[in-house]
Structures are given as C-alpha cells and as structure tokens.
C-alpha cells in the first residue's frame, strides 16, 4: 500500500484547480441576492481572495476572469498583480447576455448588428488573453428561445457557426477555444448549444484548437456525465470542466456537495483515460455560486472535494478492475471501484499537504488566519462585486 | 351540436381568470432583467394595464397583489381605483424571501426572531385583505436549504406548522389560506413545502379554510398534474391554480405555450369534477413572467389559452367517455377525449365574445387600441416596477 | 386558403409511414404481457395485418422486420407475399439482446467471441436486406452496463466502432445503416449509444451511408427532440424516426398520444427544413407497443396522428413566421406557429382520403370491415407472435 | 471515539434487514430474462438461500414472500422450515397484476367482478399472514392507465378506497397494511397511487394500522426521498422501506450502488428521528432485481450497503450538527454531516461481525462456503423461480 500512496500523492501534486473570480463576489437567484460582508469590490480584491485559497490549498494557482465583470484598464498590470501573489490568470470567460441588445440572443441573434457586436466582444476577449497570457477562451452562450416559433433553429446554428469561425481564426498559436453547452436557462424553449453533441460537432469543424467544456450542472436529469467525459477524452476533445454540483437544475452548489459518488466516477474516467496528464491539457475549473454560505471557505471546500475525489479515483486498482471486467464478474468489478470510493482519503491528503509545507486542514487554517475578519473590516464602502444582473 | 355549443358558451361565461399585478412589471432570470418601455411604475399603473386586459378579454375582473411589491399607503383607495376600472382586488401574495433576514428561511428559520418577523408580515397581509376585500391569502415560502445538514427538516416542519396555525387563526369568516408548494428554487437541496402532499397534510390539520394551490410550473419532471387536481377536488382541498407553463423548471412562460394538451387534461379534470362551478371556489390565477415578450399581450394570450383549453374540456362528450371507460375500450375512451382536443374552438370563442359585446380578437383589438404606444410615451421617468431582487 | 389546402394535400400525398411487424404482435412490460385474440402467429400473418392498415390509411406501404422475430426460410417469398398485398419490406431491425450470450452486451461485449457472433448477426441482416430489397439496416444496441465499474466505457466504444465499420463495409450501393440511440433500458448505468451525439459521432466516421435514427421515446426528460431533428437535417445525418410517445421513460405508447404539440414541433422542423422531400430520404417509421389496446386500430390511430401533425406543420405560414422572427416579434412568431397547430385538420384529411378513393374515417372503415372478428376466429392455435423475452 | 464506536455498534446490533424471496429468483427487463445456474425452483429453496445470507451477515432474519410466486400448500410448514434455518417469514406481498383479468387494473378496475377478485386475493394474503405469523401486508398496485381518458381518475380513487377499507377491516390486532406508491410502470399515463401524498391520504383515513412504504426507486427525478422519510416519521406514518437503487427509472439495482450519499442522507433522517428504535417499527426491506449479477452475493452486498450507510448516519455528531444549525453556519453544519459520510466504516463493521461470531467479510465467507457451486450442481431440472411474467 505504501507505494500506492506515494503514487497517488505524486499524481495529486500535478493537479491544479482553477478558481473563478466571480465565485468570490455576490450571487443569488432571480428572487434575491444576499450580500455578504467582506466581498471584493474589484478584480484586484478578488485576486487577493483567490491567493488566500491558493495559500491554504496549494493547488489553485490560476484564476478565471469574466469580462466585463473583471474589466480593468490595464490587464498586464492585473496579471502582474496576480503573479506577485503566486497566481496566474486563467480562462477568459465572455459575457454576451447582459446587454439590452441581447434580449433575443447574441451571436445567434436575428439582427446582424447585434451579432457583430457580440463577435466584437469575443474578439476583445482574445485581446485580453494576449495581455494576460491566458490560453483559454471559455465561451458560454445564453442564446436560445423561450417560445416555439420564436426563431429559426437552423438559421441560428448557421449564425453560431459563422461567429465561432471568426473567433477561431483570431486565436494565437497557444490559445484555444472552449465551447460550453447547457440544457436550459436563461432560455426556456431551445438553447443554441444545449448538449455536448452540439458543442462537439462545432468544435470538430473548427479544428484542433476548439474543445468542449463540461459544466457538471448543465445536463438533463439522468445524463451520465462520466460517459461524456470518457467519450470526449477518447476523441481528444475534452477541454476541461466547469465543476459545481446540483440537485435539480443549474444549482451551482459547491463541487461534490450533492453527489460525491458522481464526482468520483467522473474523476475515475479522467484518471483512467489519461486526463490528469499535463499533456492532456484538461482544465479543472470551478464555476459555482455561494449564495448563502461564506465564499472563500466554500471555494476551499470545493477544491478539497475535487482533490478527495481525485485521490479516490487514483486509488482504484486498475489491474483488478480490468481483470474483473475481462471475466465479466459484475460484482467484483463494481467492488474494485467501490473499494476505492469507500476509502477515507482525508488522512492521505493531510499528509500530502504537510509534505508540501501546508497546514493539514485548509479550512481550519483559513479560519485561524484572520482574513475573514480583516476583509469584513477593511472592505467597507464602494460597490461589492456581483453579476450585475 | 347547437345545444352543446350553447352549453359550452354558458359555462365559459361563468369562468374568470385572475391576473397577477407582477405580470405587468419587469422580470427576468438571475442572468438579466430586460426592461421594456411602458412598464408600470406603481400599483396604480398595474391596475390600469390589468383593466385593459379585462376590457379586451372580458373575463379577468380580478387582480392579485404581491406585498411588498404592491405596497401603498391606502389599500381602500387602491380597491376603489380598481373598482372604477371594473376590477376587484384578488389574492394577496405574501413575500418572505427578499429581506436580508431571510437568507436561511422565514417561517422555518432557526431563529425565532426571524420567524416572528415573517409571521408578522403574513398577519399584515391579512390586514390588507380586510382593507381590499380580498378573500384569498396566497402563501408561497421560499424556505428550504441548499446543503445536506444545513438545517433540521423536522424542526422546520414544526416551525412551519406553528406559523401557519397562527395565521389561520387570524383569518376572517370569508377568508381562506391557499398554501402553494414548489419542488425547488430558490432552495436547492430541500424545500419546506416541496409537493402537494406536504401542502395537503398541513391544510388538513389547519381546517376547512386552508386549501392547496397548484402552480403548474412547480413539479418534478413526469408528475401528472391532472391527477393531483382530480385528487384535491375529490378531497375538497383544491383552492386554485397559479397557471403558467414550462419546458424544464419553473420557467414561468405563458400559460399553455409549452404543453397545451396538458392544460386541456387539467381543465378536463376540473370541468368533469365540478371545479368550474362557483360553489367549488377554485381560483384560476395566472403567475408568470414575460421576460422577453410584450407583457399585456402575453397576459391576453395566456387568458385566451385558458379559455380555449376550458372550451375544449367542456366539449368532451362525457357520456360517450363514460361508456367507453365502462366497457374498457381504451381506444374509444381516448378518442372521446381527443375529439374534443382536436376541435378548433377559436370560432366558438369569437362568437362568445361578440355575444358579450367584445371584439372577437382580443389581441388585434388591443393592438389597435393605441394603449401600448400611449404607455410607452407617458410612462417615462420614475422606476419601473419589478421584483426588486 | 384553397391553394394552401391543395399544397398541403399534395405534400401529404408524398409522405409514407412505415409500420413495424412487431406492432402487430403481443407486447408488455416486465410485469406482464397481456395476450390479445387474433394476434398473428407468423411474419406472414403480420403482413396481412399491415396490409389492412395500408388499405384503410393509404400511406403505409412499407413494413419493418425484426430479426429473429420475423425469421423465415425464404425472404424472397416473404417479399413477394408483401408485394401481393401492395406492401414492400422496409428496414431490417437487428436483435443482439435476446441471446444468453448477450448478458453483458453484444458488439461491445468484453469477449471477442460474443462480439464475433453479434457482428455475424448484423451481417446476416444485410444478407436478408439483399433478399428482401430493403435499403435500411436499423441498429439498436441494448449494450451497456448496470453498475459503475462493470466495464470500460472507452474500450466498449472501441469495440462498437470496429463492429460498425465491419458492417458498414458490407453495405451495398443502395443500402444504409441507421444507428439508433437510447438513454437507458435495458442497461441501467451506462448505455453504449446513449444520445444523438454518440450516434452522430460514429456515423460521421463511418461515412455517408451511416445516419442517425431518432426514437422519440429515447431521451432524457427535458430534451428538445425538435432541436436534434433540425440539427441532424442541417448536417444531412437524419436517417429517420422511430415514432412513439411517452410520459416517463420509453413507454412506447401510440404516436402523438402523450404530447401532440411536441409531435407537431418535430414535424415543423422536418417540413421547414426539407425533410419531407423524397430526396431527403427520411424514413418515418413507427416503433411502439400496444400492451393494452387493440393493435391494428392503434397502428391506424398512430398513422393518423403522424398525418395530422404533418398537415398542421404544412399549414404554418412560413413567410409570416420568418417575418415575425426577423422583426424579433416573439408573440407574433409564436402565434404564427400556434395558428397552424390550433387548426382542426381532420376535415382536410378526410377530404384527402376521399380524393384518393379511401374511406374518410380509417378507424370506422376498419371496424366495419370485419377483419378483427375474422382474425379472432381464424387465428386460433399455434403460438402468438411476441418479443420472445 | 471509543464510546462513539461502541454506541454505533450497539445500535447496529438492533437493526435487521428483510430480504425478498424474489431477489433469489430470476428477473430481467421486458427485453430479456437471463437465467442463472443454481437459482431456486421453489419457495423452500429460496428460504435456503435467504438463510445463507443471514448466516454470513447476521442481520437478515426475515424474508418477504410474494403471493402467488411463493404459493405453497402449507404455510405453517413453510414458516417452520424457515424457523429451522433461523428465519422468520416477513411481509406478505400481494400481486394483482399478472392475471389476464387485470389488464385494466385490479382494485381500481371499472368492472366490479374484477375488483371483487382482486380484493379476494388481498384477503387471502391476510389469511396467509395468519398462518405464517407475518405482521405486514405490503400492497403495491400496478393499477393505472396508459392513455388520457382511458378511465376516470376520481372513480378509480373511490374504488381504491373501498378496497383498502375492506382489507383494513380484516387485519388482526398485530397486523398492519403498508401501502406502496410508484410514479409509473407498468402504467404509463396515470398510476393510482403515484406518490407518497396519495398513499398518506389513504392511510390517514384507514387508521393507525395503515402506513406508507417508501420504495427508493419509485420517485420522479429530483424528489428528495429523505424529506419524505422525515415527514412521514414526524407523522408516525412511515411503515418501512423497499430499498434498491436506480439511475433512471425503477431500475431495481443493488441498494446504495447508484447514489450511496442519498442512502446515507435517508438513514440520517431515520436515525435522527428515532426510526431505528424497535418501537418505531420501521421495516427495512430490500426489493431489487439482480438481472445480470449473481443473486446471493448481490443481496449480501446490498445488506452491507444498508449497514454501512446506517453506521455512517450513526456517526454523525448530532450535537455539533445542531449547534451549527442553530448558528446558521451552513458550511459547519454541512461539514458535520460530511465528516461522518467520509469516514470509512468498514473496519468498524468487520469488528462488529467478529464480536458477533461472524466472519468479518461476508462476501468472502460466502464465496469460500461452496454454496454457489453446490446449488449450481444440485438445482438442476425443474423450473427456476422467477416473476412468471
């Protein structure tokens, strides 16, 4: 077992989790946004919070930005500010859904002027990537329709394809486009990229620099996300994850809080199929809202949940698993997986952190750090960051 | 056939649909609220719009209010203002979810002070009913939890029961309490009144003045709403409907726009089981959002959809249906229902309107009335009404 | 309106619906199969029943076969028998799920011998196509797993791809392979072709003679089937439909019986995007079970429901629709669609049938024909056809 | 921690799990039943297998019977046969869905003669209970409809109520009626007892000897089963569980195999709300199918999964949980629950078994016992037990 533990720890040391700038700001539902004390007012303050998460977990060196929520005058300065705190700027997330022009869509809008504007924003995001050194452009489109007949499904696909092609052309050598899909919300009848198949089909036509992003909260009930993950890895088309969890719709809860076994099964497909290797270039990103719980500890908890699921996945005895599968022994194969899942990996993770000079318990260490009290005191006045909806 | 048509028209003349004040204001998703020109700034202006809907449909004499969104200094004056326009004030809808205190719930909150405040608001709503002459207190609670363990499910039921009992006691002779249920949103793990069974169980204990409200968008996928409707009518516990429609979650689309056949099946159970009779006291209310479509015509369309579904339900040949059911002739019984559904009832409804001195086509008549242009011009400045989220 | 009606009738005359041989036999759930009097005992008798459906509807000249349920010694004789009754043999449906060998899958089974046997069966089906003149090989695989870990998702995809490639190679010039997908059942954890994306990805690699089949009962709750239909038509990858309807899972009810509006929306995408044209080569097939209702009339009703939905779709004023879409008038665009849906097309279809020398009411004509009584009397003894599960 | 472990072990010693006789026989889907070697041919042989499960787990002294699948001439002899093997006969499960008469229902059938027959069967089941000493009559009705209009929802409720009342009257002092509910299957439009609310309402009217059974596979997607469990315990109306697990519909997989966290949350509500106490009289029953996996070890694994979930639930620090809930500390409250869930309880369970004189690893002990080989050799010829569908 000693060797296995060492191998697991070695693999875990190579994994990083990217946290989202908007996870540190206020969020809510259409019914209410509950503001919290100490919430950042600026992208700079968001980076400070992200640095705290990295300080205590040791595995979150990258931060995703969302434009325009994180718009600043000088992105190079922002990148430098991040670097001073041991961070890098990660994926740039576009936003083509909060402008009054976008009532009926953005890149799929029936009006060419609106589409032009939306594409312009996407190109601006690539400009920002050039300035920040980000390699990933993450595209999620709120485009869709609310009523049957509202617009032409096929025409919208044509517009989407044209917009994506233009953005793809603009990408630099080291940059890629990650296309997200989502079943519904905010559109309630059709969504223009509703499922992985649609995203995959577009990425295939665009070329090797276009890949699919799997947001774990964006599927129909009953969908096997791990199947999609395995399928995309087989095709070389898995760009990364937007991790979060859900009981019903796109609930955006902390990763692993609703179905930790599903998270484990996903990570099992990732680890078994080479997705953890740096060469696979799979981005493990969080995308979640902390509407009622404290934000920084919620991010820390999510990161820990990803780590625990990964550790369990790494513990699976793949030889025993393969042997049972080969023999068609359903119960033994299932047991090989469950043995790893039922293992308590928290001691191993504490050990790993101590080996890396970190406190064994990130949440306790954060609580003891005084940061929560400090930001509650210092960040007074100004406007707290949020979605601006 | 002539007699049947007359009977259907006679029955339709007894049906009224209550429209919601908030259906005339701005609404949206957590991502964006798209404001529209001409949207009311005050409860008084909402009543003006509701009066227009009644003017063109002839069947919407009542308007539901939502407190505090419709808070005014003088509710008697508001009722008089409504009466001058041929309207009455309908159900009073409480709101215990938009105060900062309500982050963890209202009547189910762990803190007694917050519960006290929430109950106070509910009692205030009964005071308002006394002033407006409203008979229905419609209670929807956003209470619930987002994470396993967050609170004690049973303790929350105890608190809920205590709050409801106190409000029930306060009701006047002619007043009743309508308890709504909802599967999820804004709570994402548990909801304190998640289904009709929970609402029914509480209403049963409260007494005859407590009844269940069925919001057609508040169910799990696959739920037969018409079964619930039939069951509650059999028990004398169906207080009314919050009509809207959905493809996925609580999409709050126009009534009948996503599944008109389901609406017909619901109305079939209503008409077959006496729910249209005034004595049944079933309130046919709308509760929907018009995020991207024009609001007044969307309400008119919804009202027409309810009417069309009701007309089709009234056309069902109940004798033929019962005979086929008795004989166990599955195809003939289904055909009896489908014959009515497949009938185009729009000519009959045009005829009905003309008999009542109304324009046969409410939407065309509204478009020709100039009201849309007038409110867009006149309602400038001030703050447009909305959810205030 | 006259011209529109003529155009609609002309278009309807080009549409045919293929009925499934197994729709005339017994079927049921895992709980019970209720046998019915007069059910065919042989493929020959199934063709007799299918001929009756064609006699009364005039639009069902083709019959799908299922091997081995319809295995005969001489397929050329079977085709001739069909031709004598005005029928042709349609899609050949393979069955790799009822052999004891297939407990853990067929073409995806871990054991190469079982895969070999399964591929052998598929190749046999192409042999049968050569004999019957069928052009469509319809593949549905029950392959999948019941438990996490049971087998390797990626390895199963590899095996699937290899099997499909071998079968694809065997296809004749005029033959094609239609690959069906299904979310779940009989496999309960993963299914090897769970969604349209998986089927599409495989078909893309195979080549132009491989296309996707959409079974309307095989999706996760909330899936927009019409979106998939439109997307596949845009890609030239829609091979056809397995029509049926459902409230929950793969209920296999009569087409259009659970959500007639959905069927209309699907047919709207088909007609708007050229799917009705012979060149599009979209096969409109039924695949349903009549567990408790009389089989032949249930097939007739389903065929009529497809026709009615198609007629309504053809009535959509595409110019008005496009204009409203262009202007972003959500309500007008939706109204353009709903106007067609709300039309009662039964008179038009009666007219169409009379023009074609058919009885205007197929169900009444069938009931009057005495066929039901005749088969109940004559088909006594022997073993009724069924699934053989 | 020592005291906690002792307390957990003491509580676990009081829990028993009832296994179903049909879990030892063949089962499958509508597509195929895969027979297995060694499957029992008679109720007597089923008891032998159940005794093996009890021998190795030590917690399954009771076996549920299903009539007519377990019909014997002498039930007293069967009970004695069980007793000789350390077993008792548990719940009697009725079957009113496999007779040709029941095509349109049993106790809800439109024809009084069929209803009479169905009630007769239920009364026969009580007779059997008298003979076997069983105290629980478990009623699941397959009754429902497949098509809108097929039958009258309200009339069916009346018939259901009448049948239940008659059976209730027949119950002895120590006997009770457990009423199961199910969303769908085999009925595909409406089910006559589709949800807990319907079952609860009927049980309430029947009286204290009628209680609700929760089958964990019988809910709509998104339903919080633990909420229902907590609610019913609060009302004194939780009669017991039919445990199994599912990814999609009523998949009837091994308990805890699809969502072990959900099983834990259910057991948390049970243990927190007194459901483990003998006085609560909650029956922990299994109801599952082992279509492709070996049956006896699958039952053992399920029993172990129930035990592990119960052990974790018992490990929850209720004081810490309550304190965090009181303070509204969402993250701390969730963490209190997750700490218990993340604990590996397998060592504790091994210890418990050894203290009871059992082998620490039931599956290994069973594998080493030679029983599997013995029954495969001895049980040859005759007809294997199954559902007889």
């Amino acid at each position: 077992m000693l060797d296995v533990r060492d191998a697991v720890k070695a693999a875990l040391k190579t994994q990083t989790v990217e946290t989202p700038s908007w996870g540190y700001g206020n969020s809510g539902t259409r019914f209410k946004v509950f503001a919290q004390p100490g919430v950042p007012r600026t992208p700079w303050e968001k980076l400070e919070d992200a640095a705290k998460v990295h300080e205590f977990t040791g595995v979150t060196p990258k931060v995703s930005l969302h434009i325009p929520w994180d718009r600043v005058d000088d992105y190079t300065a922002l990148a430098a500010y991040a670097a001073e705190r041991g961070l890098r700027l990660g994926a740039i997330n576009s936003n083509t859904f909060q402008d009054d022009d976008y009532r009926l869509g953005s890149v799929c809008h029936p009006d060419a002027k609106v589409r032009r504007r939306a594409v312009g924003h996407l190109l601006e995001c690539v400009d920002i990537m050039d300035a920040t050194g980000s390699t990933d452009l993450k595209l999620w489109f709120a485009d869709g329709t609310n009523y049957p007949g509202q617009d032409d499904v096929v025409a919208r696909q044509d517009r989407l394809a044209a917009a994506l092609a233009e953005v793809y052309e603009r990408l630099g050598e080291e940059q890629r486009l990650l296309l997200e899909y989502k079943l519904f919300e905010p559109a309630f009848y059709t969504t223009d990229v509703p499922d992985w198949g649609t995203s995959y089909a577009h990425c295939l036509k665009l070329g090797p620099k276009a890949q699919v992003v799997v947001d774990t909260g964006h599927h129909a009930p009953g969908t096997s996300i791990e199947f999609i993950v395995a399928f995309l890895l087989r095709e070389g088309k898995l760009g990364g994850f937007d991790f979060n969890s859900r009981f019903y719709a796109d609930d955006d809860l902390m990763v692993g809080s609703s179905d930790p076994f599903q998270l484990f099964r996903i990570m099992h497909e990732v680890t078994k199929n080479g997705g953890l290797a740096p060469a696979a270039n799979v981005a493990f990103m969080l995308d979640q809202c902390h509407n009622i719980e404290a934000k920084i500890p919620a991010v820390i908890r999510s990161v820990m949940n990803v780590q625990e699921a990964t550790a369990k996945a790494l513990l699976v005895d793949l030889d025993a698993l393969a042997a049972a599968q080969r023999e068609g022994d359903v119960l033994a194969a299932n047991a090989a997986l469950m043995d790893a899942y039922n293992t308590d990996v928290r001691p191993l993770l504490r050990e790993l952190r101590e080996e890396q000079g970190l406190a064994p318990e990130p949440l306790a260490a954060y609580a003891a750090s005084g940061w929560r009290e400090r930001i509650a005191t210092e960040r007074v006045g100004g406007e707290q960051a949020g979605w601006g909806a």
Side-chain angles (χ1 to χ4, degrees), chain A:
Chain A
M1 183 72 181
L2 252 184
D3 290 338
V4 172
R5 290 177 66 92
D6 287 343
V8 169
K9 286 191 286 185
L12 285 171
K13 280 177 187 163
T14 71
Q15 186 187 35
T16 63
V17 178
E18 187 167 328
T19 73
S21 70
W22 56 97
Y24 302 103
N26 286 323
S27 62
T29 67
R30 60 174 168 152
F31 294 100
K32 171 72 176 171
V33 174
F34 293 101
Q36 293 186 12
V39 157
R41 280 97 32 108
T42 65
W44 316 86
E45 288 182 352
K46 291 179 190 173
L47 289 178
E48 288 175 1
D49 288 358
K52 283 289 149 186
V53 172
H54 188 40
E55 177 182 337
F56 294 111
T57 64
V59 295
T60 59
K62 291 178 97 174
V63 184
S64 311
L65 298 186
H66 184 110
I67 307 301
W69 301 341
D70 294 319
R71 197 165 268 157
V72 294
D73 289 335
D74 185 343
Y75 290 99
T76 315
L78 194 70
Y81 192 82
E84 287 163 21
R85 281 150 189 80
L87 301 175
R88 277 168 294 146
L89 299 182
I92 300 299
N93 291 258
S94 63
N95 175 326
T96 54
F97 50 88
Q98 290 193 315
D99 224 276
D100 286 333
D101 277 359
Y102 297 144
R103 185 173 58 97
L104 303 176
S106 64
V107 294
C108 302
H109 196 285
D111 184 337
K113 286 198 302 293
V114 177
R115 297 200 297 274
R116 194 64 255 144
R117 175 174 185 166
V119 171
H121 170 71
L122 303 184
L123 297 175
E124 179 204 353
C125 286
V126 186
D127 293 341
I128 292 170
M129 291 166 70
D130 289 342
T132 58
S134 300
T135 55
D136 295 350
L137 175 66
K138 180 138 61 77
L139 301 178
W140 170 66
F141 297 107
D143 287 64
T145 63
N146 275 10
Y147 292 102
Q150 181 185 322
D151 203 1
D152 186 301
V153 168
V154 167
R156 292 179 77 93
Q157 288 297 316
D158 293 341
R159 299 168 197 152
L160 173 65
L164 290 174
E166 186 171 348
V167 175
Y168 189 84
E169 281 309 301
R170 167 66 183 81
L171 292 174
E173 242 353 76
E174 304 299 317
Q175 294 172 339
R176 63 177 173 170
L177 173 165
L178 302 178
L179 183 56
E180 204 163 330
Y181 57 91
K182 185 176 185 183
L183 180 67
F184 82 99
E185 197 214 19
F188 293 128
Y189 170 50
T190 54
T191 293
D192 290 307
V193 190
D195 53 18
W196 77 265
T198 307
S199 177
Y200 168 82
H202 281 284
C203 287
L204 209 60
K205 287 185 187 166
L206 289 170
K209 291 191 289 187
Q211 288 182 301
V212 181
V213 169
V214 175
D215 183 305
T216 49
H218 287 190
H219 303 82
T223 304
S224 172
I225 301 176
E226 59 267 36
F227 177 90
I228 296 171
V229 167
F231 195 94
L232 290 173
L233 276 169
R234 181 176 178 269
E235 301 284 324
K237 280 293 183 193
L238 180 66
F241 290 95
D242 262 8
F243 278 126
N244 52 58
S245 72
R246 57 168 277 191
F247 286 95
Y248 305 97
D250 186 30
D251 307 341
D252 277 326
L253 301 174
M254 294 189 298
V255 181
S257 63
S258 65
D259 190 348
F261 183 46
Q262 182 192 55
L263 182 61
F264 163 75
R265 298 194 310 264
I266 291 172
M267 291 311 304
H268 168 59
E269 295 299 336
V270 168
T271 57
K272 181 162 56 78
N273 295 302
L276 215 56
N281 201 16
V282 174
F284 300 98
M285 301 174 282
L286 307 186
D287 178 12
Q288 52 196 38
C289 302
H290 313 112
N291 298 343
I292 60 168
E293 70 271 28
K295 293 169 203 304
I296 296 173
V299 176
I300 293 174
R301 165 61 88 165
S302 294
V303 171
M304 292 171 70
N305 285 351
V306 172
Q307 279 192 298
E308 292 176 19
T310 307
K312 291 182 177 197
L314 289 164
L315 280 174
V316 174
D317 182 339
L318 291 178
D319 292 337
L321 182 69
Q325 290 174 345
R326 222 164 25 236
E327 291 158 24
D329 188 337
V330 176
L331 290 170
N334 178 244
L337 208 70
M338 297 312 292
D339 275 348
Y341 179 68
N342 286 325
T343 303
D344 189 344
V345 294
R346 293 174 300 173
L348 183 147
L349 283 162
R350 282 193 288 266
E351 200 178 293
L352 172 69
R353 291 190 194 103
E354 286 180 325
E355 287 173 17
Q356 296 180 301
L358 297 166
E361 293 281 6
L363 281 166
Y366 170 73
S369 74
W371 184 254
R372 181 177 189 163
E373 296 73 16
R374 181 172 153 190
I375 56 177
T377 310
E378 293 186 355
R379 293 179 185 166
V380 172
E383 195 181 354
Q384 290 190 325
W387 286 22

